[in-house]
Amino acid sequence: MAVKIRLTRLGKVHAPSYRVVVADSRTRRDGPAIEQIGLYHPLEEPSFVEINSERAQYWLSVGAQPTDQVKALLKLTGDWQKFTGEGEAVNTVRGRAAKESFEAPAAKSVIVEKPTEAEKPADAGAEAPAETPAEGTDQAEA
């Protein structure tokens, strides 16, 4: 059985994300996989790449063939150099930036105090005269 390490696509139409899986080469792209060994999200800034190095090394050692895309990801994580013995096995994947802690804006204290009886102006106590019905209306006088 020919085994490949390849990507299976997830996500919406214009928002792809991928799983790095080990699968039989005869199965379809999003078909059944033997094992999932990583994740790849290309649209994040920087791109998110997470591969289980131990499992990738195991599958490469038993003869699984990575696709070109997965080989590029393995080179980024340093797993390909570790497998082939080429140069330094350095992980060159940039990590995600730490989320900034949320600080609520300073609450503005808006308190409207009503004037007390002593502070009210003298004219404020006089109320406007009650409305009288307009002339020509049929209201009975009581």
Side-chain angles (χ1 to χ4, degrees):
M1 170 168 74
V3 178
K4 291 240 181 218
I5 303 175
R6 63 183 182 194
L7 299 175
T8 60
R9 191 178 192 282
L10 303 169
K12 298 184 212 175
V13 175
H14 294 288
S17 62
Y18 300 93
R19 289 182 183 161
V20 180
V21 298
V22 178
D24 183 5
S25 63
R26 296 170 289 188
T27 61
R28 61 187 189 273
R29 178 191 73 181
D30 296 334
I34 298 170
E35 182 180 357
Q36 175 185 337
I37 63 170
L39 298 171
Y40 173 53
H41 301 288
L43 295 184
E44 292 184 14
E45 187 55 43
S47 296
F48 176 70
V49 178
E50 179 183 303
I51 294 179
N52 184 344
S53 180
E54 181 180 313
R55 295 309 295 166
Q57 291 299 317
Y58 167 76
W59 283 106
L60 289 170
S61 70
V62 295
Q65 296 296 310
T67 60
D68 293 337
Q69 297 90 344
V70 173
K71 189 184 284 186
L73 293 176
L74 291 173
K75 286 180 181 178
L76 281 176
T77 60
D79 292 324
W80 186 252
Q81 291 88 336
K82 199 181 297 182
F83 172 68
T84 59
E86 303 171 356
E88 281 289 316
V90 178
N91 186 351
T92 58
V93 176
R94 292 183 300 178
R96 289 183 181 174
K99 286 187 176 181
E100 296 177 16
S101 61
F102 176 76
E103 294 182 21
K108 293 183 180 177
S109 173
V110 181
I111 300 175
V112 178
E113 295 182 16
K114 295 182 180 180
T116 60
E117 292 293 327
E119 296 174 351
K120 285 187 180 180
D123 295 341
E127 294 184 20
E131 292 183 18
T132 55
E135 292 180 23
T137 57
D138 295 335
Q139 291 187 355
E141 293 181 10

